[in-house]
Amino acid sequence: MPRQISARTVLGVAGWFAAAAVATTVGVVAVSAIGTDIVGETARPLSHDEVTRALATARPVPTPSASPTTPAATASPPAGSKVLGTPGGTVVARCENGLVTLVSWSPRQGYRSDHVRAEGGREASLRFESDRSEVRVRVDCRGGVPTAHIRTEDDD
């Protein structure tokens, strides 16, 4: 004699399938939303050249406090300042009375800054370090203009 399936079992199985379908739909929608913001525009990372151009034309915004690796921004760019791009990040430096000061610096993704000597001397320096390379940046003043001297060491 065949065994009958109860209505309760049928409803349980149907409910399980419905819950699985809803969970799958929610997962697909969530995964498709990755990479878009609230208004639906897709985020696109900037290239190194785009970042350098944007930094060269940007005006610093005053901040209430400085981050541990970057001095506070000033209300307007200091006279004699220059944006210096390197393989490890970007440095903004200025020359005044033959002395150089690193105004700010920003490591590229995957790099960190270290060994920073930023205050007004004949030269200033820092290192951008990643797990695979080290970019040593030394800045001095040539004709009143900050000039970068860059040395890169790769761990190969």
Side-chain angles (χ1 to χ4, degrees), residues 45-130:
L46 297 176
S47 70
H48 176 70
D49 292 336
E50 290 171 321
V51 170
T52 302
R53 279 194 302 275
L55 288 172
T57 60
R59 295 185 60 88
V61 177
T63 57
S65 64
S67 71
T69 59
T70 306
T74 58
S76 62
S81 66
K82 183 176 179 182
V83 177
L84 306 166
T86 78
T90 304
V91 178
V92 178
R94 79 164 175 245
C95 291
E96 191 172 359
N97 300 324
L99 303 177
V100 66
T101 301
L102 301 183
V103 177
S104 65
W105 52 93
S106 179
R108 286 181 66 180
Q109 186 171 357
Y111 284 81
R112 63 194 168 279
S113 56
D114 199 4
H115 302 288
V116 178
R117 288 187 15 240
E119 293 303 316
R122 294 285 175 208
E123 71 177 35
S125 63
L126 63 86
R127 291 183 198 170
F128 291 122
E129 299 174 348
S130 74

